[in-house]
Amino acid sequence: MFDIEKAKSRGLKPEQIEIMQKINENSLKRDNCKKHDFVDGSRFGKYRCKNCGCEEGVEFVLGYKQGLKHASEN
């Protein structure tokens, strides 16, 4: 998680702060979701969870799905 107050105190541009806030919000959604159900996202190579709304890249989604598969096999 980005420390927004620290970033502001260091003089980062408002656009940079906004990006950091969006990343923090997405991380909170992702980390608090009970079980992701990914569908196509807002851009090519991005996927959105129907349950929590987080948006992740293809690497995360593939790893997540593989983890579910491995967990169900045990």
Side-chain angles (χ1 to χ4, degrees), residues 3-62:
D3 185 335
I4 301 301
E5 294 307 314
K6 188 180 208 180
K8 287 179 181 177
S9 72
R10 291 188 175 182
L12 270 69
K13 295 177 183 177
E15 299 84 17
Q16 294 170 310
I17 301 291
E18 184 178 342
I19 291 169
M20 295 168 72
Q21 287 172 324
K22 286 181 180 180
I23 291 170
N24 283 353
E25 291 167 7
N26 194 64
S27 296
L28 282 172
K29 289 177 189 177
R30 182 193 63 225
D31 294 346
N32 290 309
C33 189
K34 300 239 185 251
K35 186 175 182 189
H36 296 297
D37 184 8
F38 289 105
V39 295
D40 287 341
S42 64
R43 298 177 298 194
F44 180 75
K46 290 287 186 179
Y47 295 86
R48 183 184 50 78
C49 175
K50 291 192 295 186
N51 297 323
C52 71
C54 78
E55 196 163 68
E56 298 297 334
V58 66
E59 296 89 0
F60 179 90
V61 174
L62 290 175

